[in-house]
Amino acid sequence: MTSSETRGAADAGRARGPLAAAPAAMPDGAARETGSADAIVMGALAAAFFASGFAALLYQTIWQRMLGMFAGSDAVTAAIVVGAFLLGLGLGSLAASLFVDRLGMRKAALGFAACEVVVAGFALLSRPFLYDLVVERLGPLLTSRWEVFGVCFLGLLAPTLMMGLSLPLLSKAVVARIESAASRIGLLYGINTAAAGLGALVGGWYIIGTIGFESALWLGALLNLLAGVLAVLILPLLPRAEPAASAPAAAAAAQAHDARPAPARAEAAGFGLGTWTVLVFASGFFIVALEILWVRILGMTAQANAYVFSLILGVFLLADGLGVVAGSRWVKRLDDTRGPFFLVQGWAAVYALLSLVALWLAYDWAPFAAVLGVDQPRMHFPALWWVILLVVLIVAPPAYLLGLSFPLVQKAVQRDLSSIGYRVGLVQLGNIIGNAAGSLFAGLVSLHWLGSAGTARLVGALALVLLLFWLWQAVARERAPAARHAQALAVAAVLAVAVLAFPSNRAFWFGVHAVKPHQTGILAEDRSGVTLMRIENGRGPMFIAGFAQSRVPPWPIHYLLGALGPAIHPKPEEVMLIGVAAAGTPYAAGLHPATRHVHAVELVAPVYTALRDYAAQHPESLVGRMLADPRYRLSIGDGRHEVFVSGRRYDVIEADAILPNASHSGMLYSVEFLRLVRAALKPGGIYVQWAPTARVAESFMSVFPHGVLVRPASILVGSDRPVPFDAAAVLTRLTSPEGRAYAAPAAVDLPAYAREIAGPHLVWAPDTPRPTGDVNTDLWPRDEYYLNNPVRGAHEVRLP
């Protein structure tokens, strides 16, 4: 705020006298707000809304994961699930705006309690409904985008509708005087949002990994029931009679006692409810688009591990909630909240853009690159401490600033007790629709066509447009002196420079991935992710999500992983690969002359763009030969979902899967996924997978009746029949003249594989006792949550 705006706010605070009636003239409900009973009511409902918010983020994480197994975890279907979730919340807010104001304070509190009970009931039914029915029964039957959206929307409609009703109901229950509406509603919303942030942090970093998804749902249900009980317990303290609505006469009296000139009174009157709803839509769009951008960029900093999304979301919501709480106190000193609303959007955008530029520059600073550079391991402590600090520094300040917006808007729109619920519901609806639009546009459109840098510019430009709108409104229409809005002019100027000076997408990602002038960078980005190949003399790593997943030519283990299945199977005509990366594994899978088709599925579409660009420069490389081979069919999508719904059966299926501690990796290492793979094999077909941990190996052994753990390469081979593994025969096939000619572009030392498959191997059959350790399941992917569960190497696996 400028100094003149600060003085105006202070004057407005002192001028509220005419609206605050004498205690004797207060209605019964208003008098209640000054007593100890009111403190008990407010405290109990704040605690209830805290518990509700904490549980909500547990649910969102788990429900999105369950529905991801049904719909697939690619970018489009993930956006569909988020859209369905937000649509339910929006419908709840819309419904609240239509009926909540007809309820008394007691009925509103009772309605909130009923909503919490419904949400708790749905949480307890999530396993049989969302997983057993939707995922396992409906998954293979419903495959179109509209069918997926319909199931996700209807599946989540009951709990999300109840969640959308909660804030309008609580607002109706706690507000008895219009003067306290903004601060009370803001305080409740801030507590709920901060609790959601804690739910994301504590749930994502401890609860889910320690007790699993299903037990976490039970914990969430207990919190919802606690919230409902608290709301019921305070019912006797709420007045039976409805507080008197603000009378038109009171408004007229307030205007009569207002000694300010007419232009000042017009400014205080502010925008109408419709204008504020549109502005809240724009703010909601802005804040979620910014969040999507943070997830894309900061997720890479931590190598997209299972904890980083919860970290970003938790810090964002916690800071946002604290901003709402602080704004609830600040707003009491303000009369006209329009200027502060636009300023916090502008300041948040300025900080967001400048902090991302600072991050980009930091990658060229040796001490930073030594800890958080893309060539360093960053999934464990102490590197994770630096990741946490970085996320807090980049996300928390703008999230806090944007949190101030909510009470500012409530202060502007809450003018009548008789329409509290309607106004809260309508504004909340605008915010939710803005959130949904921002998520869909940034996640599916902007990142796809403009990249991360273009999306950053777009987010900054939106905040700039909001600021310019306010300056036009204040200076051109209301004839306010430009000097009074010097801060807004300065922020707009800085923001314009930040938007124009933000680095290009190529420059930004080249800097992050440490591409030097003498190296060739091949960059591709779309809605599904970022891929960069850092090439020098035709060789170099491929980075996916900020991690060197593979390289050209391939690492020897990747070639062996792809070649092992076809080298073992007597006639591998149909082969499927899950994961393509730099093509080493899928290329090796085509070595057998009997192979007629190789179907490779890759989740991150830019991988193919990068491979095509590399092949154009190196047509005789392994990548060029694979892309020119007519036997290969390369598709984009979720490999698990492809196995689940395609109905095809293969002689060999191989998974060059992501690390087991990467986000969503549990979907490719769980016993349920392995059962899907086993069902997709022809009789005698084999499945080949890397064994990075003992738990991965033990999960594998629990599903396949026959198998071999090939050591020391640590590769698992499983089948429904005895696996014809013979190390000498495999080596003979690999080092035959045909094998050598096929492997030449891979530049691997074929005779050295004798050491990798020399043994001693671990072989099992149906009657072989299995290890009794914990396994990875869909609802408890223990290896994915590696900080919560001890992880042992596969070399420690022993048969009883």
Side-chain angles (χ1 to χ4, degrees), residues 559-571:
Y559 188 88
L560 178 60
L561 184 65
L564 196 57
I568 294 173
H569 196 284
K571 194 177 181 181

Side-chain angles (χ1 to χ4, degrees), residues 357-625:
V357 171
L359 174 64
W360 171 60
L361 294 173
Y363 276 98
D364 200 35
W365 184 42
F368 182 91
V371 178
L372 295 179
V374 291
D375 296 298
Q376 307 301 323
R378 310 180 298 282
M379 286 193 175
H380 295 273
F381 295 105
L384 271 181
W385 289 120
W386 293 105
V387 171
I388 293 169
L389 177 61
L390 186 66
V391 169
V392 170
L393 290 175
I394 290 179
V395 174
Y400 179 88
L401 287 170
L402 292 169
L404 298 171
S405 301
F406 183 85
L408 293 173
V409 175
Q410 292 300 321
K411 173 78 172 186
V413 303
Q414 296 299 347
R415 300 174 182 175
D416 195 328
L417 284 178
S418 65
S419 61
I420 288 284
Y422 170 73
R423 291 171 179 270
V424 170
L426 192 62
V427 169
Q428 186 176 340
L429 176 63
N431 181 61
I432 291 171
I433 295 176
N435 292 162
S439 174
L440 294 173
F441 183 82
L444 298 183
V445 180
S446 180
L447 285 175
H448 190 75
W449 295 107
L450 303 177
S452 297
T455 300
R457 287 199 189 94
L458 188 66
V459 168
L462 174 59
L464 180 59
V465 168
L466 288 174
L467 268 176
L468 294 177
F469 167 77
W470 166 238
L471 289 169
W472 169 78
Q473 172 73 23
V475 177
R477 296 194 63 188
E478 298 177 7
R479 308 297 183 186
R484 183 178 178 185
H485 298 284
Q487 183 179 174
L489 287 166
V491 173
V494 173
L495 187 53
V497 172
V499 169
L500 294 174
F502 199 87
S504 68
N505 210 51
R506 176 185 173 88
F508 185 86
W509 288 121
F510 274 34
V512 169
H513 291 88
V515 178
K516 304 304 180 186
H518 66 279
Q519 297 171 328
T520 300
I522 300 175
L523 170 68
E525 180 178 13
D526 74 354
R527 62 175 69 95
S528 63
V530 179
T531 300
L532 187 139
M533 300 178 75
R534 196 176 65 199
I535 305 301
E536 185 174 350
N537 298 323
R539 309 170 68 90
M542 170 183 275
F543 295 93
I544 304 174
F547 180 69
Q549 302 278 4
S550 54
R551 74 176 187 187
V552 288
W555 281 302
I557 187 62
H558 282 175
Y559 188 88
L560 178 60
L561 184 65
L564 196 57
I568 294 173
H569 196 284
K571 194 177 181 181
E573 294 183 340
E574 302 288 334
V575 179
M576 180 182 183
L577 268 294
I578 298 174
V580 173
T585 301
Y587 176 80
L591 72 88
H592 201 292
T595 300
R596 296 187 297 111
H597 300 105
V598 180
H599 180 202
V601 184
E602 172 59 51
L603 183 64
V604 182
V607 164
Y608 292 138
T609 304
L611 290 178
R612 285 192 292 268
D613 290 347
Y614 178 85
Q617 300 173 27
H618 306 278
E620 296 303 315
S621 66
L622 170 153
V623 175
R625 293 192 181 190

